[in-house]
Amino acid sequence: MPMPIPIVRFVASALIFGTALPAYSETSALQATLRPMVFAHYMPSTPPLAFHPQNTYWYRVPYDTKSDNLLTRPILTPRLGSSDIDLAAYRDEIRLAKSYGIDGFFVDFLEDENSYRLAWTCLIKAAELEGAFKIGLMPDAATLDGDYINGGNQKYGSKREKIRRWLDIAGDSSALLRHDGKPAIVEYGNGYPDAKGTIPQVKAQFLDWMSAQGKPVAYGAVLGADWPLYKGEMARDSENGYPSQAFVMGTFTPGMMTTELFERHLNYFPANIPKMAENRVMYYNHKWFYTGDRGTHTYRKFWDFAIKNRDRAPWMQLLTWNDLGESAIAPTVHHFQAFAPLTRYYATWYKTGIEPKIEHDWLALFHRQHPYRAEPTEIKKRVSGDNVTIPADEVEALTFLSEPATLVVKTGEKTTRHNLNAGIHAVYIPFELGTQSAQIERAGKTVAHVTTPIPIHDRPVRENLWLVAADSAHPPRELQSQFASENGLSLIGREFELGNTVVAATFTPNQTARGVVARLTSAGDYRFMARHENDEIKWQLVRKSAESFTVLDEGTAPVQARIRLRLDSIGEHLIAFIDEKLVSSNTYDFNFPHGRAGVLGETKDYDSPQVLTLDPAHLEK
């Protein structure tokens, strides 16, 4: 069935590194018994919903050159209790993943310490309680210390003992992923020469040892771009009588994400080794590469390939659910839930083999937050090298249309119109600085509209190419608007976490500063203030700490009888509007990660107060 999106297709080469590839195109009986499933790679150190900010890596690490790969932040759900790990939050997270069409998590076994084991325990228990969700163990060969037989951390023992300990925690849980009746052990990075890759003899000893412990396992490896290392090893597995152990195949290819590489893998491995395709949202990290070239283009391209080859690769792994230092589709302060409808649509197609009918119009915008060539003002480190895919400075408008309609995209001050037929369309437009928005029009009416949370600006404090996005299925929600007076401020009566909040109010200009406040804490707050002075409105965006004020940005605006101030507090960004006109988008701050919203001034001096949020309490269940 042809795809409605133009996709560049690749033909597998007959040779790789000068070696002829044997062809195994038939589907084995073993593969035929596997129902297509979609998994997501899960990092137990960074659960998006299940932690308190003050005790969590993404917020505990200070903002400095050591943490410049922390490109985005999770959207937190406030939780009660003394533990960082909250079973109820993990249940929320699994329900959320299921709403994306995901059937399970492969948990990255990166370290063997209490917090990791506690996360594993909670994921297993939460999946049991939710049902219809599987948890698989994925030891990370690149970082997990100790080989399968000897060595390793004296406190924890060898790698095989660590794996046994984690399987002991899971026990006979119905949520544990199994293959051929045995727990599935899928090693990530197996074969890397610098990551203690496992030779066949050691692997055989590991399997025999696990069997002797009364815990026989099915073994697999997520394979990568170091093709010569893998093809011989996996062939030897088959020859040595372990074909059912090497049960999945995928790729870790940040610099070589091509369908040709997948074809090579699919054509090489025998049909009695089921295969798992892998799909990366984007890949961006100062230590490695950037390959998120055109919004969701790569993501959709590999869904297309997986759908075409679902009989040969019945499992799909998404990279990743929640690795916010590399790539993720879980909700973040940058893209919120824009990947949810997109992933659910393709996951349904992949699992059923039938292209879903578009019943409702859907619109999403994807872009980066600054031009690629913009020079960072503080951290000068730039991603560079032979493996970098230079991204285009453009905005992607992605539409799912039930009927023909007109797409209207506004980037900065430039507006374009596009007449589209029913189906899926990705429209790419060179972006301009400023707010990014779009809408779908049909028969003179707007049927869907979006505005992304962070405008495109040109003074980043650091290079940050993480995708910003918004979609029409998950608009911001309004919080309660009851304000109460406290110390001269009018405040909304609830705490919010991490500043994913928009505060707005309309004022009568006068000589006294009036404004809105976000992230009000005992330590200080952020304020967007304005006053009428010398026939103009003077505004300032300030940080108040103790009794001192730091001006973060300032400017002027025309005088009007009534002015509306709006301060968007999205992660590290502070974005200010006057009468819905963007006046400040280059301001960052990291001092106050949570607090309350409010209005500066007496009750009589403002009206129409509004607080919107990307509150995770509204996340789709």
Side-chain angles (χ1 to χ4, degrees), residues 11-207:
V11 178
S13 172
L15 296 174
I16 180 168
F17 303 119
T19 303
L21 295 178
Y24 296 99
S25 59
E26 73 276 13
T27 300
S28 70
L30 181 59
Q31 280 182 231
T33 64
L34 294 175
R35 67 180 179 92
M37 297 179 70
V38 175
F39 295 91
H41 192 92
Y42 190 93
M43 302 298 291
S45 57
T46 57
L49 304 183
F51 57 92
H52 302 285
Q54 67 271 22
N55 297 322
T56 306
Y57 174 73
W58 295 113
Y59 290 91
R60 188 176 67 243
V61 175
Y63 174 71
D64 56 22
T65 55
K66 295 179 181 179
S67 60
D68 60 359
N69 282 325
L70 302 187
L71 305 175
T72 189
R73 305 285 187 179
I75 299 174
L76 293 191
T77 300
R79 296 288 173 183
L80 301 176
S82 59
S83 173
D84 287 354
I85 308 299
D86 184 342
L87 181 60
Y90 278 105
R91 295 187 67 178
D92 284 349
E93 191 171 359
I94 287 173
R95 283 196 296 269
L96 183 63
K98 290 169 72 172
S99 78
Y100 281 54
I102 294 170
D103 300 302
F105 289 146
F106 274 117
V107 179
D108 195 306
F109 187 2
L110 202 66
E111 297 179 27
D112 185 38
E113 56 184 32
N114 290 339
S115 62
Y116 279 75
R117 290 196 296 273
L118 186 54
W120 169 255
T121 302
C122 286
L123 280 168
I124 291 288
K125 184 63 177 177
E128 281 182 4
L129 295 172
E130 291 302 317
F133 199 83
K134 296 296 182 182
I135 305 297
L137 184 59
M138 185 170 280
D140 195 322
T143 58
L144 190 62
D145 63 342
D147 61 30
Y148 280 106
I149 307 303
N150 301 304
N153 188 303
Q154 293 298 314
K155 180 178 179 180
Y156 297 122
S158 67
K159 186 186 296 185
R160 68 184 185 184
E161 292 170 324
K162 299 171 187 176
I163 290 174
R164 183 186 65 180
R165 179 159 50 242
W166 280 48
L167 292 180
D168 285 344
I169 291 172
D172 60 357
S173 170
S174 59
L176 183 65
L177 181 66
R178 290 176 170 82
H179 174 70
D180 197 22
K182 298 184 283 286
I185 303 297
V186 187
E187 189 165 16
Y188 196 82
N190 177 282
Y192 286 167
D194 60 346
K196 303 182 180 71
T198 309
I199 61 174
Q201 293 87 348
V202 172
K203 188 188 305 176
Q205 293 178 48
F206 165 66
L207 295 171

Side-chain angles (χ1 to χ4, degrees), residues 188 222 250-252 262 276-280 302 316-317 319:
Y188 196 82
V222 177
T251 59
F252 170 63
F262 279 120
M276 178 173 68
E278 200 168 85
N279 194 346
R280 186 182 299 281
F302 280 95
M316 161 73 86
Q317 179 178 220
L319 278 183

Side-chain angles (χ1 to χ4, degrees), residues 418-470:
H418 311 266
N419 295 322
L420 304 174
N421 294 323
I424 304 176
H425 302 272
V427 176
Y428 296 90
I429 302 163
F431 66 54
E432 294 190 354
L433 300 182
T435 303
Q436 311 296 307
S437 62
Q439 62 188 43
I440 298 172
E441 297 177 351
R442 183 182 297 119
K445 296 182 179 180
T446 299
V447 296
H449 63 88
V450 296
T451 300
T452 55
I454 300 174
I456 295 174
H457 53 93
D458 59 358
R459 296 200 305 273
V461 296
R462 57 178 174 180
E463 181 180 70
N464 188 344
L465 305 182
W466 192 273
L467 284 177
V468 173

